């Protein structure tokens, strides 16, 4: 149930050279400049004179640098690489009344996560991302996408000490996310991505995620593009149910397993636009343009070009910055070359050919 198939066209650049248009973007996170990590160390050191104003200046500078880096790579829609965020649940839990932190918990190996607890009813106070969006929108010359951690993940990756069950908590959080999206739209945002990685680990809860999305988009104009990012997992356990989600596109991670699951979506009934991961976010090796072009063609097995968005598999923040940039630059070049070859009729589009009625 795509909300509005027409709202993608607003992101086509005015000077786009090809008739075909593959929307290029990133999932969200990006490696931080090393000096920003050093600045955070100073900021979090109570014995250091590095204060709020210095930290604000540092994050503003980093946001500006990475936004321009995304533009230099040629992306059609940009993010600032989430320079003001560290962990995708902690960032929001710190801004939502009802959460508290009691210290880190071990999640795997030697990695720790400052897992929060919900100790009372969650409530919306100040906007979470409006300042971030307005800053990036001001420095960017291209449309800005806003990633938000979804309510199901915010509920699932916290200790629930206040609600009867996680489903009730997820719905309460979805109402807050709806308030935040309304504020972002008022500020001018036209592309919002809901990140729900927890769905991949508990796919039987797809109905809960669907209800959360219904609450999030309630009263949101269908000119605003709503994406859903789900990484990892067995997608056959959430498809075809995702067809009923009130979204414009679903962003999936398939490059990582060499598209073994692409057939899940290639039944001819896929409804939303497909945002396809075409570079692996977990290896530093930069894929060649030719490799990425072949990956993009995997997406054409599912949707026609006008419904295909091209992105990395997931956030790139764990990669060396040079590798992250190289992947984006090659990804954009590959998309532009595929568009030209589609214009010239040099590429088969299985999603269209399979859907065409047979000649009598």
């Amino acid at each position: 149930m795509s909300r509005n198939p027409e709202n993608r066209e607003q992101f086509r650049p005015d000077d786009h050279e090809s008739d075909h248009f593959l929307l290029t973007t990133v999932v969200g996170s990006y490696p931080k400049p090393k000096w920003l990590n050093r600045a955070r160390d100073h900021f979090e050191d109570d014995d250091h004179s590095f204060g709020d104003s210095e930290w604000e200046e540092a994050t503003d500078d980093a946001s500006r640098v990475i936004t321009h880096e995304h533009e230099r790579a040629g992306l059609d829609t940009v993010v600032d690489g989430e320079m003001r965020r560290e962990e995708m649940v902690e960032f929001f839990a710190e801004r939502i009344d009802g959460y508290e932190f009691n210290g880190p918990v071990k999640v795997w190996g030697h990695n720790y996560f400052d897992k929060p607890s919900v100790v009372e009813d969650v409530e919306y106070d100040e906007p979470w991302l409006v300042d971030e969006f307005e800053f990036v929108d001001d420095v960017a010359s291209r449309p800005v996408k806003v990633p938000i951690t979804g309510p199901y993940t915010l509920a699932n990756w916290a200790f629930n000490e206040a609600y009867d069950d996680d489903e009730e908590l997820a719905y309460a959080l979805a109402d807050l996310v709806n308030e935040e999206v309304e504020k972002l739209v008022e500020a001018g945002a036209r592309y919002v991505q809901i990140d729900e990685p927890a769905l991949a680990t508990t796919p039987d809860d797809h109905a809960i995620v669907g209800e959360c999305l219904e609450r999030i988009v309630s009263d949101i104009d269908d000119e605003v593009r709503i994406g859903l990012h789900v990484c990892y997992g067995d997608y056959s356990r959430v498809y075809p149910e995702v067809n009923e989600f009130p979204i414009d596109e679903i962003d999936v991670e398939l490059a990582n397993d060499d598209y073994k699951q692409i057939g899940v979506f290639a039944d001819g009934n896929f409804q939303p636009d497909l945002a396809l991961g075409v570079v692996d976010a977990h290896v530093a090796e930069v894929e060649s343009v030719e490799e990425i072009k072949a990956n993009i063609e995997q997406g054409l097995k599912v949707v026609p070009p006008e419904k295909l968005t091209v992105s990395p598999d997931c956030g790139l923040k764990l990669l060396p910055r040079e590798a992250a940039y190289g992947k984006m630059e090659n990804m954009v070049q590959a998309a532009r070359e595929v568009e030209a070859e589609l214009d010239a009729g040099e590429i088969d589009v299985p999603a269209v050919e399979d859907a065409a009625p047979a000649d009598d």
Side-chain angles (χ1 to χ4, degrees), residues 87 105-113 157 232 318:
E87 201 282 329
V105 297
K106 193 173 185 178
V107 286
W108 72 84
H110 297 290
N111 292 294
Y112 286 81
F113 163 47
W157 289 2
Y232 285 127
L318 297 180

Side-chain angles (χ1 to χ4, degrees), residues 344-359:
E346 297 171 354
I347 295 180
D348 295 331
V349 183
V352 174
E353 293 163 359
D354 293 346
D359 294 336

Side-chain angles (χ1 to χ4, degrees), residues 87-312:
E87 201 282 329
M88 64 183 302
V89 171
E90 288 177 29
F91 178 85
F92 293 94
E94 288 170 347
R95 287 157 177 78
I96 298 173
D97 290 345
Y99 279 92
E100 70 175 26
F101 292 88
N102 297 298
V105 297
K106 193 173 185 178
V107 286
W108 72 84
H110 297 290
N111 292 294
Y112 286 81
F113 163 47
D114 200 2
K115 186 172 181 175
S117 297
V118 178
V119 296
E120 57 187 45
D121 288 355
V122 293
E123 295 183 1
Y124 187 89
D125 187 8
E126 297 293 326
W128 311 332
L129 298 170
V130 171
D131 287 350
E132 175 189 292
F133 166 74
E134 290 180 334
F135 183 88
V136 180
D137 192 47
D138 187 54
V139 303
S141 61
R142 302 199 176 198
V144 175
K145 183 168 80 172
V146 185
I148 302 178
T149 302
Y152 180 74
T153 297
L154 288 172
N156 201 263
W157 289 2
F159 297 111
N160 174 16
E161 301 173 11
Y163 289 80
D164 289 340
D165 53 45
D166 289 351
E167 179 177 355
E168 183 183 346
L169 172 58
Y171 295 155
L173 288 164
D175 292 338
L176 306 192
V177 175
N178 169 257
E179 287 191 59
E180 178 65 14
V181 174
E182 286 183 345
K183 294 283 192 302
L184 286 164
V185 172
E186 289 172 9
R190 291 296 178 269
Y191 193 177
V192 175
Q193 174 185 282
I194 309 299
D195 294 332
E196 289 287 18
L199 177 59
T201 58
T202 52
D204 293 339
D205 282 350
H206 52 73
I208 298 174
V209 174
E211 172 60 25
C212 286
L213 290 165
E214 293 283 356
R215 292 174 182 236
I216 290 169
V217 303
S218 175
D219 300 325
I220 302 299
D221 193 295
D222 67 7
E223 286 299 311
V224 178
R225 187 168 182 81
I226 301 293
L228 172 69
H229 173 63
V230 182
C231 45
Y232 285 127
D234 180 353
Y235 291 109
S236 69
R237 295 178 65 184
V238 296
Y239 184 80
E241 288 80 4
V242 296
N243 282 342
E244 301 303 317
F245 289 176
I247 56 177
D248 295 301
E249 69 177 15
I250 181 167
D251 186 299
V252 295
E253 175 175 350
L254 294 183
N256 183 253
D257 75 346
D258 199 25
Y259 300 93
K260 291 184 177 66
Q261 295 192 62
I262 193 69
V264 168
F265 305 109
D267 63 354
N269 295 313
F270 187 81
Q271 295 298 311
D273 291 357
L274 177 66
L276 182 68
V278 296
V279 295
D280 193 338
H282 303 285
V283 297
E285 180 183 356
V286 177
E287 295 88 344
S288 69
V289 171
E290 288 304 316
E291 286 177 287
I292 300 172
K293 287 170 66 176
N295 294 345
I296 292 172
E297 290 190 45
Q298 292 281 346
L300 298 177
K301 296 178 180 177
V302 179
V303 294
E306 63 270 20
K307 289 175 66 66
L308 183 60
T309 297
V310 174
S311 77

